[in-house]
């Protein structure tokens, strides 16, 4: 029983990782908390659904979802944040602006879906259950775990092993110095937002398939969990977000299994609150929580 | 006579010593200088005195009040005001309101009357406005009273900052590189103002990079290098100290 | 004629209640705290008042006092951990606070009615009562911002180091701002309870957060005129044309993006700044 829960928790962790990596990547590079990230995640699920509903194969829906979410994320950066970064008001303004973007995206999705809960047609994903050592694993779970691992590895390769990754890290360290080195920061930002959105979109499709329930507010809880994860991992830290996703997915799966369900989110957010107080810079983050200058 | 006094002041970041064995006395009615080449640790000293950095050893006293571990806002109440290296005015706020904020520590109306806008609070604000205008007059800034402070020229902004510090009616004032970025005429104007502070009986601690400016104004100078005081005394004494010359030349060559 | 006016009365009532909530949001932002907790604090006040009336059968005045005090108490308690955080971290913590209050509310079914909400609250508050309280709140904010506390808030918001160097205690003033914000949210939440017959837990969630924040961002965060104007504009706008009402949330969203990017001080404050600059220009003597 416990082993089964741990297995389920691992799958959940993979989805959280996909969602939070982009969330934290964007914060790391621009110090902007993109609150439209949940809506971008939801858009991924919707695009996949409508592709399948229109008769397309699931793999096509998955690819279209990734591309559409990535592009939407780039659009959010250009429309919501680019001007704010010039005026230097991105911390406060970025939150306001991205709340606005999330609102617009999810309201459009609400109208497109007529406020309905959308469900993939039966057998969109083959229902196959594997049993071994007394554990049950569905093919979908294997696919989710596999997709999460592949995408995380691709991201890790991009960030730590390529010229693009070096540019991202250079801009993260110091935008001005990076410009002097001939890096076009706006291009790097667009690429980063594309990756962040694409990962979130992929997570959206996986969650949509797993629960077979897609609606315009499905991003909200993930945005909240995403907060908790990237704070726990340290805002902007990629390994931190991975580790925190694992912790978070496990804890959530186990608390849902063993505690009264009504209290799960209370516990999660109370935990987030505690983390903010005890280790505001997270498990692996270096950043201090704001400018606590001097003796107060 | 009251003094601003640093005793065996020390700052460590982890195992790294940023300043050590710093003993200084700033008497009332005089201008005392603190100079040192870039990276000598002047900023660390300023931050410790003004409560921006926790002190790891030694003490700081304003008169009889121990402010070593006091939070920043209590240091002002103890009678020590400051100006900032990069002028820090509230840019969106008018010049006179910038000065009014300086009066904060002298409160007369109660919290309730301030909350409810009772006549006492109104009288207080009117009285403070008059005093703020008087201060602006003294600094020749009265005509800018209603302008946003951020729109003034650099020299005028520096004077607004002085007026704001004076509004707190401090016994001591700490000036952190006040003439950085000023031309000679502006510096001379400020020098007059600093002498005025001393003549009013206030103790002035002038932290400067510009040695000549300090030598001209101060009666007593401390020289900092590598986080330690390497010399102190009259301007003549200090400027002829081989150790000081070496520190500055080393700096120039580096 | 009277019929036409009566038709707009519910809208006016909504304006008065939301004005109080807008002031609650305004006062923390003014003091440099990035708190978004107003929705939760209003929920706490509303439910306290509702429970006082429904479960305990108390007089509405007692209920309103209790709502105000619990809102204020919750805000002061919240301000203790928030004092250690800044900026984005404060915003996240207060959003988490909203979620905690919301899910506790749904979980404590025996007390709050859970997801079904709290029903059959006697309606004891009408337009006149709302008008009195809204006028009182406006006066409070106006008096506050032209005195020493308003100046201290401005200093802290713009530069904490400067404020501290002038003897302003940041923690004390931000706690005061929180207490006022909580009291206003609790009071106007309580008024909402006695005005609306029923309360729904989701009424005090993310949606209210966005609505109240929009009022303050659109109107302006630097003068009492900001919330007054912002709340009015956003409540009237959807009434002008049906397509506007149907797309209310899209309008709010676009408005947030456009205003924060192109009119970051908000409508009222931008106008006031322009007016002051013009007056100074007439006097002559550029700086």
């Amino acid at each position: 029983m416990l082993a089964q829960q741990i297995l389920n928790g691992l799958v959940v962790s993979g989805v959280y990782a996909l969602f939070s990596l982009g969330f934290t990547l964007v914060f790391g590079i621009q110090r902007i908390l993109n609150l439209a990230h949940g809506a971008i995640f939801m858009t991924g699920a919707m695009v996949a659904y409508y592709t399948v509903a229109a008769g397309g194969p699931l793999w096509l829906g998955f690819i279209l979802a990734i591309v559409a979410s990535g592009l939407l994320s780039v659009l959010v950066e250009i429309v919501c944040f680019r001007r704010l970064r010039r005026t230097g008001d991105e911390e406060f303004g970025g939150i306001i602006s991205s709340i606005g973007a999330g609102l617009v995206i999810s309201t459009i999705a609400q109208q497109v879906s007529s406020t309905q809960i959308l469900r993939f047609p039966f057998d969109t994903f083959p229902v196959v259950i594997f049993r071994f050592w007394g554990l049950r694993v569905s093919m979908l779970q294997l696919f989710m775990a596999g997709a999460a691992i592949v995408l995380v590895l691709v991201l890790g390769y991009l960030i730590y092993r390529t010229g693009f990754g070096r540019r991202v890290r250079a801009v993260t360290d110091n935008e001005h110095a990076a410009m002097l080195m001939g890096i076009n920061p706006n291009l790097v930002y667009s690429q980063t937002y594309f990756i962040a959105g694409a990962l979130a979109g992929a997570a959206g499709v996986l969650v949509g398939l797993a629960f077979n329930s897609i609606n315009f507010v499905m991003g909200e809880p993930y945005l909240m969990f995403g907060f908790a994860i990237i704070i726990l991992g340290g805002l902007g830290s990629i390994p931190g977000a991975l580790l925190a996703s694992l912790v978070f997915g496990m804890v959530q799966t186990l608390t849902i299994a063993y505690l009264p369900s009504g209290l799960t989110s209370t516990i999660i957010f109370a935990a987030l609150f505690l983390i903010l107080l005890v280790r505001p810079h997270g498990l692996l983050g270096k950043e201090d929580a704001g400018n606590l200058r001097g003796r107060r | 006579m009251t003094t601003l006094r640093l005793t065996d002041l020390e700052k460590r970041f982890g195992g790294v010593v940023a300043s050590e064995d710093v003993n200084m006395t700033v008497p009332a009615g005089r201008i005392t200088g603190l100079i040192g080449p870039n990276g000598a640790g002047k900023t660390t000293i300023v931050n410790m005195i003004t409560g921006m950095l926790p002190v790891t050893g030694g003490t700081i006293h304003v008169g009889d009040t121990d402010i070593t571990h006091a939070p920043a806002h209590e240091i002002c109440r103890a009678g020590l005001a400051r100006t900032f290296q990069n002028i820090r005015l509230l840019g969106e706020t008018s010049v006179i309101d910038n000065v009014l904020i300086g009066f904060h520590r002298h409160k007369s109306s109660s919290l309730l009357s301030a909350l409810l806008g009772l006549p006492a609070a109104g009288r207080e604000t009117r009285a403070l406005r008059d005093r703020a205008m008087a201060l602006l007059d003294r600094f020749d800034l009265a005509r800018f009273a209603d302008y946003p402070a951020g729109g003034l020229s650099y020299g005028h902004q520096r004077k607004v900052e002085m007026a704001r510090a004076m509004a707190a009616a401090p016994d001591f004032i700490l000036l952190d590189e006040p003439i950085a970025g000023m031309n000679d005429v502006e510096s001379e104007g400020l020098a007059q103002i600093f002498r005025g502070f001393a003549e009013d009986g206030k103790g002035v601690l002038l932290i400067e990079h510009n040695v000549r400016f300090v030598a001209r104004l101060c009666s007593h100078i401390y020289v900092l290098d590598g986080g330690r005081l390497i010399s102190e005394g009259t301007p003549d004494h200090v400027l002829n100290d081989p150790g000081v010359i070496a520190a500055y030349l080393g700096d120039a060559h580096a | 004629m009277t019929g036409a006016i009566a038709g707009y009365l519910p809208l006016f009532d909504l304006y008065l209640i939301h004005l109080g909530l807008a002031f609650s949001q305004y006062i923390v932002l003014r003091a440099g705290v990035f708190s978004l907790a107003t929705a939760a604090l209003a929920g706490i006040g509303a439910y306290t008042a509702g429970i006082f009336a429904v479960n305990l059968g108390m007089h509405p005045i007692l209920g309103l006092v209790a709502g105000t005090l619990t809102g204020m108490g919750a805000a002061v308690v919240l301000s203790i951990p928030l004092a250690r955080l800044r900026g984005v971290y404060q915003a996240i913590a207060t959003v988490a606070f909203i979620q905690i209050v919301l899910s506790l509310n749904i979980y404590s079914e025996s007390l709050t009615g859970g997801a079904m909400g709290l029903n059959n609250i006697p309606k004891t508050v009408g337009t006149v009562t709302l008008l009195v309280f809204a006028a009182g709140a406006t006066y409070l904010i106006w008096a506050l911002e032209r005195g020493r506390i308003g100046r201290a808030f401005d200093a802290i918001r713009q530069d904490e180091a400067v404020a501290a160097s002038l003897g302003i205690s940041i923690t004390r003033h931000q706690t005061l701002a929180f207490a006022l914000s909580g009291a206003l949210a609790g009071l106007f939440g309580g008024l909402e309870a006695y005005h609306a017959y029923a309360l729904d837990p989701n009424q005090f969630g993310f949606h209210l957060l966005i609505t109240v924040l929009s009022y303050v961002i659109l109107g302006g965060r630097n003068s009492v005129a900001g919330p007054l104007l912002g709340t009015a504009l956003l409540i009237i706008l959807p009434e002008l044309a049906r397509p506007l009402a149907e797309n209310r949330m899209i309008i709010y969203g676009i408005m947030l993006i456009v205003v924060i990017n192109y009119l970051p001080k908000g409508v009222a404050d931008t106008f006031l700044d322009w007016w002051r600059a013009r007056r100074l220009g007439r006097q002559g003597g550029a700086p």
Side-chain angles (χ1 to χ4, degrees):
Chain A
M1 187 58 199
L2 181 66
Q4 179 73 49
Q5 294 299 346
I6 290 177
L7 192 77
N8 295 347
L10 280 174
V11 175
V12 172
S13 302
V15 175
Y16 285 151
L18 290 184
F19 185 88
S20 339
L21 282 174
F23 205 9
T24 209
L25 193 62
V26 162
F27 187 90
I29 197 167
Q30 284 190 338
R31 302 198 53 80
I32 281 179
L33 205 58
N34 179 10
L35 297 196
H37 203 64
I40 291 167
F41 158 92
M42 177 271 302
T43 305
M46 289 249 170
V47 168
Y49 168 81
Y50 281 108
T51 309
V52 171
L58 181 61
W59 62 263
L60 180 65
F62 200 67
I63 290 173
L64 285 182
I66 286 180
V67 173
S69 309
L71 291 178
L72 182 61
S73 174
V74 172
L75 185 69
V76 166
E77 193 268 327
I78 294 173
V79 172
C80 295
F81 304 138
R82 202 157 271 188
R83 191 185 156 87
L84 287 174
R85 274 192 296 106
R86 270 208 312 272
T87 53
D89 189 26
E90 68 261 37
E91 193 185 19
F92 179 79
I95 285 189
I96 306 288
S97 200
S98 63
I99 286 179
L103 209 54
V104 171
I105 296 168
S106 50
T107 315
I108 291 174
Q110 179 183 16
Q111 293 181 351
V112 169
S113 64
S114 317
T115 322
Q116 298 293 309
I117 293 178
L118 310 173
R119 297 184 198 283
F120 284 106
F122 182 71
D123 225 16
T124 299
F125 199 90
V127 183
V128 181
I129 308 279
F130 302 105
R131 291 170 201 278
F132 57 94
W133 304 325
L135 300 177
R136 292 161 38 94
V137 190
S138 70
M139 184 127 107
L140 179 60
Q141 282 182 310
L142 285 180
F143 173 68
M144 288 168 74
I149 290 169
V150 168
L151 289 172
V152 167
L153 287 178
V154 168
L155 177 72
Y157 176 78
L158 279 177
I159 296 290
Y160 294 107
R161 286 280 179 275
T162 64
F164 163 70
R166 272 193 298 281
R167 287 193 293 277
V168 168
R169 281 176 287 143
V171 174
T172 304
D173 278 350
N174 186 334
E175 176 176 332
H176 188 66
M179 272 166 73
L180 294 180
M181 286 155 56
I183 297 173
N184 173 2
N186 282 341
L187 182 64
V188 175
Y189 292 142
S190 292
Q191 290 165 329
T192 310
Y193 271 82
F194 183 84
I195 292 171
L199 290 175
V205 180
L206 295 179
V207 168
L209 281 170
F211 296 96
N212 202 6
S213 158
I214 296 168
N215 63 61
F216 73 99
V217 287
M218 67 185 281
E220 279 179 21
Y222 283 85
L223 189 65
M224 296 292 156
F225 298 152
F227 274 156
I229 289 169
I230 69 176
I231 295 273
L232 179 60
L235 279 176
S237 160
I238 289 172
L242 266 182
L243 181 63
S245 299
L246 193 64
V247 171
F248 201 81
M250 287 304 194
V251 169
Q252 198 197 17
T253 314
L254 295 176
T255 49
I256 286 178
Y258 299 110
L259 285 173
S261 62
L263 278 181
T264 317
S265 47
T266 307
I267 293 168
I268 287 169
F269 291 110
L272 167 58
F273 221 97
L274 277 179
I275 296 162
L276 273 173
L277 294 181
V278 180
R279 267 189 87 80
H281 45 298
L283 292 175
L284 301 179
K286 287 166 290 209
E287 197 71 34
D288 190 53
N291 46 353
L292 297 182
R293 289 170 299 228
R295 319 186 289 253
R296 286 160 61 86
Chain B
M1 197 167 69
T2 56
T3 54
L4 165 65
R5 206 165 64 254
L6 318 187
T7 314
D8 299 330
L9 198 62
E10 175 199 276
K11 177 65 194 175
R12 289 168 187 277
F13 294 101
V16 184
V17 179
S19 10
E20 207 173 24
D21 299 330
V22 177
N23 287 286
M24 284 175 56
T25 304
V26 179
R30 301 253 180 83
I31 304 178
T32 305
L34 174 61
I35 60 172
N38 280 327
K42 298 191 293 287
T43 307
T44 305
I45 304 282
V46 171
N47 285 341
M48 281 195 286
I49 299 175
T50 54
M52 296 284 137
L53 264 183
V55 176
T56 48
T59 57
I60 309 170
H61 284 84
V62 176
D64 295 328
T65 318
D66 184 345
I67 60 160
T68 315
H69 301 290
H73 68 269
E74 281 174 20
I75 288 167
C76 174
R77 289 168 191 274
L80 173 64
R82 70 171 296 186
T83 62
F84 291 86
Q85 191 172 340
N86 324 306
I87 301 173
R88 287 168 89 163
L89 294 176
L90 310 182
E92 302 170 15
T93 307
S94 69
V95 168
I96 189 159
D97 281 345
N98 264 283
V99 177
L100 276 175
I101 290 162
F103 288 111
H104 184 88
R105 81 173 181 107
H106 323 284
K107 72 167 161 195
S108 63
S109 64
S110 70
L111 177 65
L112 198 67
S113 66
L115 272 183
L116 299 179
L118 296 182
R123 271 199 303 279
E124 182 190 24
T125 296
R126 275 191 299 279
L128 290 182
R129 284 190 82 85
D130 291 344
R131 286 169 62 190
M133 276 314 284
L135 260 176
L136 285 177
D137 234 1
R138 181 173 151 197
F139 287 91
D140 197 22
L141 291 164
R143 64 188 183 285
F144 302 130
D146 292 322
Y147 284 89
L152 263 53
S153 74
Y154 198 67
H156 283 134
Q157 289 198 23
R158 182 57 93 193
K159 289 208 279 187
V160 175
E161 204 188 22
M162 298 289 164
R164 182 176 71 188
M166 280 303 113
D171 300 321
F172 295 90
I173 181 162
L174 183 154
L175 305 167
D176 192 1
E177 307 220 1
I179 61 157
M182 302 280 168
N183 63 34
D184 284 351
V185 180
E186 287 170 329
S187 309
E188 188 45 44
L190 286 172
Q192 286 306 324
I193 290 173
F194 301 159
R195 288 196 189 98
F197 291 163
E199 281 158 18
D200 287 351
K202 298 183 192 308
V204 180
L205 175 56
L206 175 62
I207 292 115
E208 249 306 326
H209 190 67
N210 183 329
V211 180
R212 269 185 308 156
F213 186 76
V214 175
R216 216 149 44 81
L217 275 178
C218 299
S219 49
H220 196 91
I221 296 178
Y222 292 89
V223 186
L224 198 67
D225 190 35
R228 291 162 173 273
L229 293 176
I230 55 167
S231 180
E232 67 167 289
T234 60
D236 269 351
H237 170 80
V238 162
L239 294 185
N240 294 315
D241 185 325
V244 176
I245 294 164
Y248 268 87
L249 284 179
D251 182 52
H253 285 285
Chain C
M1 185 62 208
T2 47
I5 291 175
Y8 284 109
L9 218 49
L11 213 57
F12 187 56
D13 289 357
L14 179 71
Y15 172 70
L16 295 174
I17 291 173
H18 277 199
L19 180 61
L21 300 182
F23 280 137
S24 161
Q25 174 70 72
Y26 166 88
I27 199 74
V28 274
L29 292 180
R30 179 94 195 236
V33 188
F34 198 174
S35 162
L36 303 172
T38 288
L41 298 170
I44 291 172
Y47 269 87
T48 306
I51 290 165
F52 261 61
V54 175
N55 301 14
L56 307 173
M58 296 273 203
H59 190 274
I61 290 181
L62 273 178
L64 286 178
V65 170
T68 309
L69 290 180
T70 43
M72 187 162 91
V76 170
V77 171
L78 183 63
S79 78
I80 298 168
L82 281 194
R84 300 184 43 185
L85 304 173
R86 283 292 169 278
V88 170
Y89 294 83
Q90 283 181 331
I92 297 176
T94 52
V95 170
F97 177 70
I98 292 181
Q99 293 293 324
I100 293 171
V101 171
L102 188 61
S103 59
L104 276 181
N105 185 349
I106 294 175
Y107 183 73
S108 347
E109 218 173 306
S110 56
L111 188 65
T112 62
M116 301 295 293
L118 196 63
N119 298 300
N120 300 321
I121 306 169
K123 179 171 165 120
T124 41
V125 166
T127 307
V128 176
T129 317
L130 290 177
L131 194 58
V132 169
F133 279 108
T138 310
Y139 174 79
L140 181 78
I141 300 286
W142 176 77
L144 186 81
E145 71 184 18
R146 50 196 283 281
R148 48 179 305 198
I149 297 174
R151 289 194 294 272
F153 282 179
D154 287 345
I156 292 170
R157 188 187 67 246
Q158 291 181 54
D159 195 328
E160 289 191 1
V162 166
S165 83
L166 297 170
I168 297 170
S169 163
I170 292 157
T171 315
R172 195 179 312 149
H173 280 88
Q174 293 193 336
T175 306
L176 175 66
F178 257 108
L180 285 170
S181 173
L184 283 169
L187 173 63
F188 283 83
L191 290 168
E192 162 77 13
Y194 293 152
H195 181 264
Y197 300 107
L199 294 172
D200 177 278
N202 291 309
Q203 196 181 335
F204 301 101
F206 203 61
H207 202 273
L208 184 62
L209 178 168
I210 291 173
T211 308
V212 171
L213 190 61
S214 302
Y215 296 150
V216 180
I217 299 296
L218 174 64
R221 312 190 287 283
N222 269 328
S223 74
V224 68
L228 280 170
L229 185 67
T231 310
L233 284 177
L234 280 182
I235 285 184
I236 294 169
L237 207 62
E239 302 302 320
L240 295 180
R242 245 190 103 64
L244 291 179
E246 281 166 2
N247 297 300
R248 179 190 288 253
M249 280 297 134
I250 292 193
I251 293 172
Y252 279 28
I254 292 174
M255 191 281 298
L256 282 176
I257 298 172
V258 170
V259 170
I260 205 70
N261 275 288
Y262 295 95
L263 205 64
K265 287 182 167 180
V267 177
D269 288 339
T270 305
F271 175 77
L272 288 174
D273 282 356
W274 171 82
W275 181 256
R276 280 188 206 112
R278 212 176 77 122
R279 223 184 42 204
L280 287 173
R282 279 218 189 114
Q283 284 173 10

